[in-house]
Amino acid sequence: MSIPADAPKLRSIHRQMRFATPRVITALMLREMTTTYGRKPGGYIWSILEPVAGIALMSWIFTAAGARHPGLGTNFPIFYATGLLPLFAYLHLNSRVMLALSYSRQLLAYPRVTVTDALAARFLVGLITELLVAYIVLAGILMLMDTGTHLILHHVVLGFAMAAALAAGTGVLNCFLNHVFPVWGSVWGLFMRPMIFVSGALILLDALPQEWQRWLVWNPLVHIIAEVRKGFYHGYTPAYVSPAFVFGIALVCGVVGLLLVWRTHRDLLEN
């Protein structure tokens, strides 16, 4: 059987197409890191200072108010860190994915750059940043203070995986809604502001009245924060935590969002 004369050329093209997506995503990630952090004084330092300032402020407020102990354990900084860090990780990741098309609008005109490339690059840079920040802050507290906690790593990993999955799913859906309804970003921001009070970050769900618990348990962020805290407080095993519930919401939102973005992204970018 004769081999077509252009077979080597076809194989070369096939190899280039096969590795095109990882290369494009890597290039977009480098661009994201340069434009987001490389041009700011201090760069990544500000990403660390934000949660540290929030944890220090909440610890000072509750201590000044006369509170002797946080909701769990005896150390205020680790209690608020285990609540605020996964919450911030979700909020920041969701925002990055939601604005991915706007951020990469000009680059999407190139045929090699797809919508999924832009979404994946923004998500991965944000995920790496949030995990590094969480590691630095939590490790710093554990090293500098006697927190009285016992680290169970797989609960912490699962909790942040839940936060990342939920952020990716809702972020893709919000990406579509933000282009269809220009005010959606502002509406979503207003909706997210009370989350610091109703997600268990400051006050444990277990400490609230039963009628409140029945409603707040439908908030997936409650499950995420409780799962992370299970990784620090031995014996804390809230029965309401359901990773399947969080991953299910993330999957539904992500699939619906991707389908809508794929079907309408050309029209969205032209508007």
Side-chain angles (χ1 to χ4, degrees):
M1 182 183 294
S2 61
I3 300 176
D6 57 349
K9 182 178 180 181
L10 291 174
R11 284 196 295 268
S12 176
I13 294 174
H14 176 72
R15 283 195 297 268
Q16 291 177 7
M17 293 177 63
R18 198 163 104 193
F19 294 105
T21 295
R23 289 175 179 173
V24 170
I25 292 177
T26 302
L28 291 175
M29 290 176 64
L30 293 173
R31 172 179 177 266
E32 167 79 11
M33 288 187 287
T34 302
T35 56
T36 303
Y37 301 104
R39 298 178 181 177
K40 292 181 180 179
Y44 278 94
I45 294 177
W46 295 110
S47 300
I48 301 173
L49 290 179
E50 180 185 7
V52 168
I55 294 165
L57 178 62
M58 297 311 304
S59 299
W60 178 81
I61 289 175
F62 279 84
T63 302
R68 296 183 178 181
H69 301 291
L72 289 171
T74 59
N75 185 273
F76 281 98
I78 195 65
F79 176 77
Y80 293 121
T82 54
L84 294 176
L85 287 172
L87 175 63
F88 288 163
Y90 167 76
L91 294 176
H92 294 163
L93 281 173
N94 176 83
S95 178
R96 283 180 176 275
V97 177
M98 180 171 64
L99 300 176
L101 294 189
S102 300
Y103 182 80
S104 302
R105 179 186 294 269
Q106 295 179 342
L107 295 177
L108 288 170
Y110 295 95
R112 286 288 183 91
V113 182
T114 65
V115 172
T116 52
D117 293 338
L119 292 171
R122 291 275 284 181
F123 172 76
L124 290 174
V125 171
L127 178 61
I128 293 170
T129 302
E130 297 304 322
L131 291 179
L132 284 174
V133 170
Y135 174 79
I136 292 171
V137 174
L138 290 172
I141 294 174
L142 292 174
M143 290 175 60
L144 298 174
M145 300 180 181
D146 181 13
T147 62
T149 57
H150 177 69
L151 181 63
I152 308 174
L153 188 59
H154 71 270
H155 285 302
V156 181
V157 172
L158 178 58
F160 277 94
M162 291 160 62
L166 185 66
T170 58
V172 173
L173 184 57
N174 284 334
C175 183
F176 168 78
L177 294 174
N178 192 48
H179 281 78
V180 176
F181 309 105
V183 298
W184 178 252
S186 300
V187 173
W188 181 259
L190 290 174
F191 180 69
M192 285 292 104
R193 285 183 182 179
M195 285 298 124
I196 192 172
F197 302 106
V198 298
S199 61
L202 304 182
I203 303 175
L204 287 179
L205 185 68
D206 316 68
L208 299 175
Q210 285 291 332
E211 56 270 21
W212 287 33
Q213 293 185 33
R214 283 196 293 268
W215 288 102
L216 293 179
V217 76
W218 292 99
N219 178 2
L221 291 173
V222 168
H223 300 252
I224 292 170
I225 291 173
E227 183 65 31
V228 172
R229 282 188 169 139
K230 284 169 63 178
F232 287 86
Y233 296 96
H234 182 69
Y236 177 63
T237 55
Y240 56 81
V241 175
S242 174
F245 171 67
V246 178
F247 286 124
I249 293 177
L251 179 63
V252 171
C253 291
V255 170
V256 172
L258 278 175
L259 290 174
L260 291 173
V261 169
W262 264 111
R263 293 191 61 178
T264 60
H265 73 278
R266 293 299 176 190
D267 295 333
L268 297 177
L269 293 173
E270 290 175 0
N271 293 334

